[in-house]
Amino acid sequence: MTSVLRTSQSQSPLILRTLSGEATTPPPLWMMRQAGRYLPEYRALRAEAGSFLDLCYTPRLATEVTLQPIRRFGFDAAILFSDILVVPHALGQELWFAEGEGPRLAPVTTAADLAQLREDLDPDRIGAVLETVAQVRAILPRETALLGFCGAPWTVATYMVAGRGTPDQAPALDLAARDPQLFKAIIDRLVGQSTRYLVSQLQAGADAVQIFDSWAGALIGDEALYRRWCLEPISRIVSGVRAEVPDAKIIGFPKGSGRFYPLFAEESGVDAVGLDQGLGLDDARAVQAIRPVQGNLDPEVLLSGGDGLDRAIDAILEALGGRPHIFNLGHGILPQTPIQHVERLVKRVRGGLG
């Protein structure tokens, strides 16, 4: 594998310029889940670690995984290798990953369940993640941004309540309707501790952070629910982070927000809004008129490759060029994606493939 890790220390990260409102050509480029199973070097380290959580909590291994896609593709940002469920795990909720089935947690569905959790994050578990942040930042060239992240309270709460991912988030929606006081207490715990977690990542060396609300789309049928469980908690985190790190750069990714993307852009306080592939480019431009945007190539199109990939890339660049834009996928890269397709994407976005 040829390394494309750059070594110049003279440039400010391109993504930070975009997050400050500057339009650049070409735009900065990174991909959600860019460190993952589509890379053979990742699969080798995953086997060495023994378990997914051991991989997340071993700074030497998590640092290497974070750097792998930067070495291979030269992306403009590395994103910390970890998981959104580190926060409930650090609060004391039992967490394990079932092979081929995803995360499993001991469900929190009663006030007694919540009372069993910590009020703050376990410093040993979080300390391992922060050590990874510091190690990665020490190795990355200055022009390559390091992104930290957390899960948004709504999305993390859906896993905490159901004990697993569900297709419609019905368990969380049901608890929020039956016992809004308990559900609010879960959200409040997550707001406070996610704020602390992001501040700690920024202090450890992250250049910017992203808040992933992967299940925001489950709330778009009711604006009041969307505001209460998606928009307001994220806004509180943004305000809390900026109270301690006033110049913090924050990306919000409320996947599936559809008609509420402009509302999110107006009221959340984030510096940029991540857009999923379900949002049309005309609507994406409307959001971009409010805030810088990130996205939104369909991961399935990247998987397919070929001329269809070229056309999709060109359409995004044409629609969103001239205003602040971070090129990214509309969600995470699919594990079966050929590496050659990612190489093609990088070349085309950067103007090297006509």
Side-chain angles (χ1 to χ4, degrees):
M1 180 182 69
T2 300
S3 174
V4 290
L5 188 64
R6 293 167 292 176
T7 58
S8 167
Q9 299 292 316
S10 61
Q11 291 182 299
S12 172
L14 191 59
I15 282 179
L16 297 189
R17 293 162 54 190
T18 304
L19 294 176
S20 296
E22 180 180 342
T24 64
T25 303
L29 164 65
W30 70 282
M31 297 193 310
M32 287 181 279
R33 294 185 187 155
Q34 65 190 24
R37 288 175 288 169
Y38 75 108
L39 294 175
E41 56 267 36
Y42 169 84
R43 296 194 296 270
L45 272 186
R46 173 67 178 80
E48 177 185 341
S51 76
F52 180 76
L53 283 175
D54 286 337
L55 187 57
C56 290
Y57 288 134
T58 305
R60 175 182 64 87
L61 298 179
T63 294
E64 177 58 24
V65 171
T66 302
L67 292 170
Q68 285 173 347
I70 306 304
R71 293 196 180 102
R72 187 181 276 274
F73 304 113
F75 290 128
D76 293 296
I79 185 163
L80 167 69
F81 182 79
S82 187
D83 192 87
I84 63 170
L85 298 181
V86 161
V87 167
H89 194 220
L91 289 174
Q93 189 171 11
E94 186 180 359
L95 169 66
W96 67 100
F97 284 79
E99 196 64 36
E101 297 181 9
R104 296 289 185 271
L105 303 96
V108 174
T109 59
T110 67
D113 294 335
L114 182 60
Q116 292 297 312
L117 300 185
R118 298 172 57 102
E119 292 288 339
D120 53 10
L121 301 174
D122 182 332
D124 291 334
R125 286 176 175 163
I126 293 305
V129 177
L130 300 179
E131 177 59 27
T132 298
V133 173
Q135 289 187 19
V136 173
R137 184 63 273 173
I139 296 170
L140 277 180
R142 283 310 314 172
E143 75 270 17
T144 304
L146 173 57
L147 305 179
F149 73 92
C150 73
W154 161 252
T155 286
V156 176
T158 66
Y159 286 97
M160 292 177 69
V161 170
R164 61 190 297 169
T166 60
D168 54 7
Q169 313 321 309
L173 289 168
D174 178 64
L175 182 62
R178 285 190 297 106
D179 194 342
Q181 183 176 358
L182 173 59
F183 195 75
K184 182 179 184 299
I186 296 171
I187 292 290
D188 288 346
R189 182 81 55 89
L190 289 170
V191 167
Q193 296 311 308
S194 298
T195 299
R196 184 68 255 160
Y197 185 42
L198 292 183
V199 167
S200 296
Q201 290 179 46
L202 290 162
Q203 292 172 339
D207 297 295
V209 292
Q210 177 159 308
I211 303 172
F212 285 86
D213 212 347
S214 304
W215 295 114
L219 299 168
I220 63 172
D222 185 321
E223 181 175 339
L225 287 180
Y226 184 86
R227 283 182 175 276
R228 185 173 190 185
W229 302 129
C230 170
L231 181 57
E232 292 175 5
I234 290 176
S235 300
R236 290 166 59 197
I237 291 175
V238 171
S239 297
V241 170
R242 295 239 175 86
E244 297 194 51
V245 186
D247 59 348
K249 297 299 180 186
I250 304 172
I251 304 167
F253 179 49
K255 182 177 180 289
S257 284
R259 64 194 176 106
F260 292 135
Y261 266 118
L263 174 67
F264 185 91
E266 288 277 8
E267 298 189 13
S268 65
V270 300
D271 295 287
V273 180
L275 309 176
D276 66 85
Q277 65 268 23
L279 194 71
L281 290 176
D282 287 343
D283 290 329
R285 283 180 60 84
V287 179
Q288 193 184 33
I290 304 168
R291 289 281 183 273
V293 295
Q294 175 179 278
N296 62 339
L297 182 70
D298 189 336
E300 293 281 357
V301 173
L302 179 59
L303 173 64
S304 299
D307 292 341
L309 172 60
D310 293 346
R311 290 193 296 271
I313 292 169
D314 292 349
I316 292 170
L317 292 175
E318 180 178 356
L320 303 180
R323 288 177 173 174
H325 172 227
I326 300 166
F327 199 100
N328 205 315
L329 302 178
H331 199 219
I333 186 171
L334 298 170
Q336 62 271 40
T337 301
I339 287 172
Q340 295 85 350
H341 295 183
V342 180
E343 293 171 339
R344 186 184 187 106
L345 180 151
V346 173
K347 288 180 181 178
R348 196 163 191 93
V349 170
R350 291 181 172 160
L353 186 65

